[in-house]
C-alpha cells in the first residue's frame, strides 16, 4: 500500500508539472486493455448497458460524453445525448458531464470523480 501511495503521489506531481506518466501506454498495455476491458468485461457488463440513463431535461447536448466514450456508445440527436447499449461502465461520460445528466445504476448522481479533483 505504501509503495502504491508513493507511486500515485509521484505520478500526480509529474502530471502537475506537465509531464504525464507514460507507464501503461505501450503495446502490451494496449493489448491487455483490449483483452481485458473491451472483450472480457464487455461480456460481463453487456447486461448493464441498457441501465445507462441520460436525463434529457438536464442534457444540453454539449457532446463531452460523445468525445470521451471509448465505445462510441453515445451520440447527439436533436441536441440531446443518446446511448446505444454498448456501455462498458468506464464512467467517463458520467464523471465529465457538466450538467450531471448521466447516471448508470441509479437515478441521481452523487459524485463525479475526475483525476483533477485529486491533484
Amino acid at each position: 500500500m505504501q509503495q502504491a501511495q508513493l507511486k500515485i503521489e509521484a505520478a500526480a506531481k509529474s502530471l502537475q508539472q506537465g509531464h504525464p506518466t507514460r507507464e501503461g501506454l505501450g503495446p502490451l498495455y494496449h493489448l491487455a486493455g483490449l483483452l481485458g476491458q473491451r472483450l472480457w468485461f464487455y461480456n460481463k457488463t453487456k447486461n448493464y448497458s441498457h441501465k445507462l440513463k441520460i436525463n434529457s431535461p438536464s442534457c444540453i447536448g454539449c457532446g463531452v460524453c460523445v468525445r470521451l466514450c471509448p465505445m462510441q456508445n453515445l451520440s447527439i440527436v436533436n441536441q440531446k445525448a443518446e446511448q446505444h447499449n454498448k456501455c462498458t461502465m468506464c464512467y467517463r461520460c458520467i464523471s465529465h458531464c457538466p450538467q450531471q445528466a448521466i447516471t448508470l445504476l441509479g437515478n441521481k448522481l452523487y459524485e463525479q470523480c475526475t483525476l483533477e479533483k485529486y491533484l
Side-chain angles (χ1 to χ4, degrees), residues 14 19-26 29:
S14 180
H19 306 288
T21 180
R22 301 287 301 164
E23 185 176 350
L25 296 178
Y29 290 101

Side-chain angles (χ1 to χ4, degrees), residues 11 17 22 27-28 33 35 63 69 88 92 94 99-100 102 119:
Q17 295 172 347
R22 301 287 301 164
L28 292 178
L35 296 175
C69 182
T88 59
R92 290 177 187 157
I94 296 167
Q99 300 301 113
Q100 296 184 341
I102 305 173
L119 295 177

Side-chain angles (χ1 to χ4, degrees), residues 18-44:
H19 306 288
T21 180
R22 301 287 301 164
E23 185 176 350
L25 296 178
L28 292 178
Y29 290 101
H30 284 282
L31 180 61
L34 170 67
L35 296 175
Q37 183 178 7
R38 301 292 183 264
L39 300 178
W40 191 77
F41 277 118
Y42 174 75
N43 289 324
K44 300 292 183 188

Side-chain angles (χ1 to χ4, degrees), residues 68-85:
L68 291 174
C69 182
M71 298 303 294
Q72 298 177 339
N73 180 46
L74 301 161
S75 62
I76 301 296
V77 177
N78 296 325
Q79 299 177 337
K80 300 290 180 183
E82 282 191 3
Q83 68 111 355
H84 307 291
N85 293 326

Side-chain angles (χ1 to χ4, degrees), residues 8-115:
I8 291 168
E9 289 173 6
K13 184 177 180 181
S14 180
L15 186 59
Q16 284 176 325
Q17 295 172 347
H19 306 288
T21 180
R22 301 287 301 164
E23 185 176 350
L25 296 178
L28 292 178
Y29 290 101
H30 284 282
L31 180 61
L34 170 67
L35 296 175
Q37 183 178 7
R38 301 292 183 264
L39 300 178
W40 191 77
F41 277 118
Y42 174 75
N43 289 324
K44 300 292 183 188
T45 61
K46 64 183 174 184
N47 294 328
Y48 290 99
S49 288
H50 68 283
K51 294 184 180 183
L52 186 73
K53 297 178 188 80
I54 300 168
N55 182 342
S56 287
S58 297
C59 178
I60 59 173
C62 67
V64 169
C65 57
V66 174
R67 289 189 297 277
L68 291 174
C69 182
M71 298 303 294
Q72 298 177 339
N73 180 46
L74 301 161
S75 62
I76 301 296
V77 177
N78 296 325
Q79 299 177 337
K80 300 290 180 183
E82 282 191 3
Q83 68 111 355
H84 307 291
N85 293 326
K86 296 186 288 183
C87 180
T88 59
M89 300 190 322
C90 74
Y91 282 81
R92 290 177 187 157
C93 61
I94 296 167
S95 294
H96 290 86
C97 176
Q99 300 301 113
Q100 296 184 341
I102 305 173
T103 61
L104 184 60
L105 299 175
N107 292 320
K108 182 179 178 184
L109 182 63
Y110 292 94
E111 181 179 10
Q112 287 179 303
C113 297
T114 61
L115 177 64

